[in-house]
Amino acid sequence: QVRLVESGGGSVQAGGSLRLSCTSSEYTSTTPFMGWFRQAPGKEREAVAAIYIIGGNTYYANSVKGRFTISQDIRKNTVYLQMNTLEPDDTAIYYCAAAAGAVRAPLSPDVYAYWGQGTQVTVSS
């Protein structure tokens, strides 16, 4: 079974940066899409970014375009989320996810079969 482990969360001031990491036990064509999602208290889980690990294509939610960057290190079975110019509204638990196959909507949480435990990101004003 695919196991995902996130790390890198923490507390920062607005305008600061954090880099999240997600290491997967399976980093092959069987899990071609990896994504980052977040959930704040009282809100629905929402997409942040996704990557097609085979071709390197990336996808971003409008709220983070220009500030966040998703990338990967294939040799390390790891996907990263570099978060710059953080805002208080970015405060949430961030989850790493992997899809079980090809998907039509990489930013839809419903298409992801495997999820990590999450890592807390807190941004103070």
Side-chain angles (χ1 to χ4, degrees), residues 37 45-47 97 105-113 115:
F37 298 81
R45 186 169 298 186
E46 65 176 3
L107 295 178
S108 174
D110 294 339
V111 307
Y112 289 84
W115 295 82

Side-chain angles (χ1 to χ4, degrees), residues 15-43:
S17 299
L18 284 173
R19 188 176 78 158
L20 306 183
S21 298
C22 172
T23 298
S24 176
S25 63
E26 299 287 345
Y27 209 83
T28 68
S29 60
T30 61
T31 54
F33 287 87
M34 299 285 289
W36 285 100
F37 298 81
R38 65 188 183 187
Q39 188 166 23
K43 295 185 178 181

Side-chain angles (χ1 to χ4, degrees), residues 94-117:
Y94 283 69
Y95 298 91
C96 177
V103 301
R104 300 292 182 87
L107 295 178
S108 174
D110 294 339
V111 307
Y112 289 84
Y114 309 103
W115 295 82
Q117 293 299 305

Side-chain angles (χ1 to χ4, degrees), residues 37-110:
F37 298 81
R38 65 188 183 187
Q39 188 166 23
K43 295 185 178 181
E44 296 289 322
R45 186 169 298 186
E46 65 176 3
V48 176
I51 185 168
Y52 177 54
I53 70 170
I54 308 303
N57 312 62
T58 58
Y59 312 83
Y60 296 95
N62 289 334
S63 61
V64 305
K65 286 182 179 178
R67 298 190 298 123
F68 293 8
T69 302
I70 188 170
S71 62
Q72 66 177 328
D73 187 332
I74 296 175
R75 292 170 295 178
K76 296 182 178 179
N77 283 22
T78 299
V79 63
Y80 303 97
L81 184 68
Q82 178 66 47
M83 304 185 293
N84 297 326
T85 319
L86 283 161
E87 304 169 352
D89 284 349
D90 294 319
T91 296
I93 299 175
Y94 283 69
Y95 298 91
C96 177
V103 301
R104 300 292 182 87
L107 295 178
S108 174
D110 294 339

